[in-house]
Amino acid sequence: MTSVFAIVRRILTQFARDKRTLALLFVAPLVVLWLLSVILGADTVGPKIATVDLPAEFQTQFEQTDARITEANADEASTLLADNAVAAVLSMEGKHTLKVELEGTDSTKSAAVLAACAEALGELRGKAAEEMEAAVADKRAEVEDTIEEASQQREEARTALTGVMVSMPPEARSSLAEALGGLFDDDAALSAEDFSMNVSNYLPIEDMETVYLHGNEDWRMFDFYGPVFIGIFLFVFTFITSGMSLVTERMGGTMTRFLATPVNAGQILGGYTLAFGLLAYLQSATILWVALTFIGFPNEGNLGLVVFTCVSMAMVSVALGLLVSGLAATPFQVIQLILLFVVPQILLCGLFDLSGAPDWLAALSAFMPVTYGVDALRAVMLRGADLAAVGFDLAVLWGFLALFFALAAASFRKKRVRTTC
């Protein structure tokens, strides 16, 4: 037991001296838990929907659902849908058909849109049924009153004619009876069913038509998150590999010998970045081939552009890993630093819907490279976007690459100065 306690004391003493590891052990999990509490504790919000010249009765009823509704003209609504600013556009197809045009990439939002439409139509049909029932009752009462009045008038006429016919000669009475025919028969009376109603006067929408801008009704929830997982896996594993590789070489003395040579920091980091970039190309090609061929991920865009986006994300991850490796003294600390530098990016990149989260959280995601990589992958793979459409996201990714590379080079120069001294 003495030996066991000695080992325990040694490990605890080692951790007590390593302030960086202690901070990562306690601070990083708390940061991640706090972010999760904010994201998962946000209010659930309905889908954004644009409406174009809908009947007033349906528009009023639809506004009582959870959907966030924007009224627009046809051109504005088409632009909003193409820019993924709304999940659907509702308009009229003909006089009595509701056209629901879904953006289509997110099956969860599509289902929420259709559920909101079904809810509004159900309420509208219920009210229309009540109004029609009341109208039928009023009409039936009106017809029955008319029948009763007609019956009274017929009896009065029959009585009067009977008195007249009594005083007439038999030949004339017979001729008059033949001329009147079945005028006074009960079968000639009006019926309470002898009227019709126009349903469209009470129900302005009788049918619903659904079309998809992207995808189709067979797309699953996983299809929407597929590009996210591809980007996350590439970023995380490349970060771990590059960061741990550099720390391992520093612990083995290789990096110290590098820094003592005329090779400058930019050349060292450039070599690492290019080497891991080539590995990322092979990794991206393999993952995409398996995902598209065997798993069945959809890809509506150019496969080369998808690979280029993946490689760009991986190279940003390499540069970030090289930068963060300067903060880690051991490979174990590289794993811990993932909680601070990578996990928040995973939580805010689009894996969770931030529509109901605080505005500052959405603003924070704009400073994280994974967000732009995931947006570009989704745009290309799910919407068939071209290079011009994702050019901004790719430019931001390469901007992060340049920033991380410059910061890592500056950190290496400081190490070189300390090594020389």
Side-chain angles (χ1 to χ4, degrees):
M1 288 298 295
T2 304
S3 300
V4 173
F5 285 121
I7 294 174
V8 171
R9 184 170 59 255
R10 174 184 171 277
I11 293 175
L12 293 178
T13 302
Q14 182 178 349
F15 271 97
R17 292 173 179 173
D18 192 349
K19 307 300 181 183
R20 186 178 304 173
T21 299
L22 285 176
L24 290 173
L25 281 175
F26 294 101
V27 175
L30 292 176
V31 171
V32 174
L33 284 175
W34 173 67
L35 279 176
L36 281 172
S37 68
V38 175
I39 295 171
L40 299 180
D43 295 333
T44 302
V45 296
K48 291 182 179 180
I49 301 174
T51 59
V52 181
D53 297 331
L54 297 181
E57 302 93 328
F58 180 78
Q59 181 76 30
T60 301
Q61 192 63 51
F62 195 60
E63 289 175 352
Q64 297 178 16
T65 65
D66 294 334
R68 293 172 290 168
I69 300 170
T70 300
E71 294 189 54
N73 58 43
D75 293 337
E76 292 173 344
S78 298
T79 301
L80 290 173
L81 190 66
D83 293 341
N84 194 29
V86 295
V89 172
L90 305 188
S91 59
M92 296 301 296
E93 185 77 11
K95 291 185 177 181
H96 304 293
T97 301
L98 176 67
K99 180 180 179 182
V100 182
E101 189 174 5
L102 298 167
E103 197 274 337
T105 56
D106 189 347
S107 61
T108 304
K109 289 184 178 180
S110 298
V113 171
L114 295 177
C117 292
E119 178 185 348
L121 283 174
E123 293 292 334
L124 194 64
R125 286 167 179 159
K127 290 183 178 180
E130 293 176 359
E131 293 176 359
M132 290 178 65
E133 185 178 353
V136 167
D138 293 340
K139 191 70 173 178
R140 178 176 288 112
E142 180 183 347
V143 170
E144 289 175 350
D145 290 343
T146 302
I147 292 174
E148 183 178 356
E149 182 180 353
S151 298
Q152 292 176 355
Q153 293 175 355
R154 185 173 61 248
E155 289 300 324
E156 292 174 358
R158 176 183 292 174
T159 301
L161 284 173
T162 300
V164 171
M165 291 174 67
V166 170
S167 61
M168 294 177 64
E171 297 81 2
R173 187 165 56 239
S174 177
S175 299
L176 181 59
E178 291 179 3
L180 292 175
L183 181 62
F184 297 105
D185 294 342
D186 290 339
D187 292 340
L190 291 174
S191 170
E193 304 300 329
D194 289 341
F195 65 93
S196 61
M197 300 183 66
N198 189 353
V199 177
S200 61
N201 292 335
Y202 299 89
L203 190 61
I205 296 177
E206 301 175 9
D207 196 10
M208 186 172 71
E209 175 188 353
T210 304
V211 296
Y212 289 82
L213 179 63
H214 304 292
N216 53 61
E217 60 184 7
D218 296 327
W219 275 20
R220 306 159 297 169
M221 181 189 300
F222 195 67
D223 294 330
F224 179 69
Y225 290 102
V228 180
F229 293 134
I230 290 174
I232 287 175
F233 291 156
L234 284 171
F235 196 90
V236 171
F237 291 120
T238 305
F239 176 88
I240 294 174
T241 306
S242 61
M244 293 184 67
S245 176
L246 203 62
V247 171
T248 301
E249 291 201 359
R250 189 168 65 240
M251 292 179 64
T254 304
M255 192 56 59
T256 302
R257 290 191 291 272
F258 263 138
L259 294 175
T261 65
V263 179
N264 59 45
Q267 292 172 328
I268 296 174
L269 294 177
Y272 268 89
T273 304
L274 288 177
F276 280 103
L278 291 174
L279 291 175
Y281 172 77
L282 297 176
Q283 184 186 26
S284 302
T286 303
I287 290 176
L288 288 172
W289 177 67
V290 173
L292 298 178
T293 305
F294 297 101
I295 301 178
F297 281 178
N299 180 37
E300 302 294 318
N302 183 280
L303 184 59
L305 185 56
V306 176
V307 173
F308 179 73
T309 304
C310 290
V311 172
S312 299
M313 290 187 68
M315 293 186 71
V316 173
S317 180
V318 170
L320 180 61
L322 296 177
L323 173 62
V324 171
S325 66
L327 304 175
T330 63
F332 176 64
Q333 288 184 355
V334 174
I335 303 299
Q336 292 175 318
L337 286 169
I338 291 177
L339 291 175
L340 283 179
F341 290 92
V342 178
V343 173
Q345 297 193 63
I346 295 175
L347 297 179
L348 300 179
C349 71
L351 189 60
F352 298 96
D353 186 5
L354 301 180
S355 301
D359 293 338
W360 62 265
L361 202 59
L364 182 61
S365 68
F367 294 92
M368 299 184 175
V370 178
T371 300
Y372 298 93
V374 166
D375 286 347
L377 286 176
R378 272 181 172 163
V380 177
M381 295 182 68
L382 301 182
R383 303 185 184 96
D386 56 11
L387 180 60
V390 297
F392 175 78
D393 292 321
L394 293 176
V396 173
L397 278 178
W398 284 84
F400 275 113
L401 172 61
L403 175 63
F404 295 154
F405 190 90
L407 293 175
S411 174
F412 267 65
R413 291 190 188 97
K414 291 181 179 179
K415 288 183 175 61
R416 176 185 290 275
V417 172
R418 288 196 296 266
T419 302
T420 304
C421 293

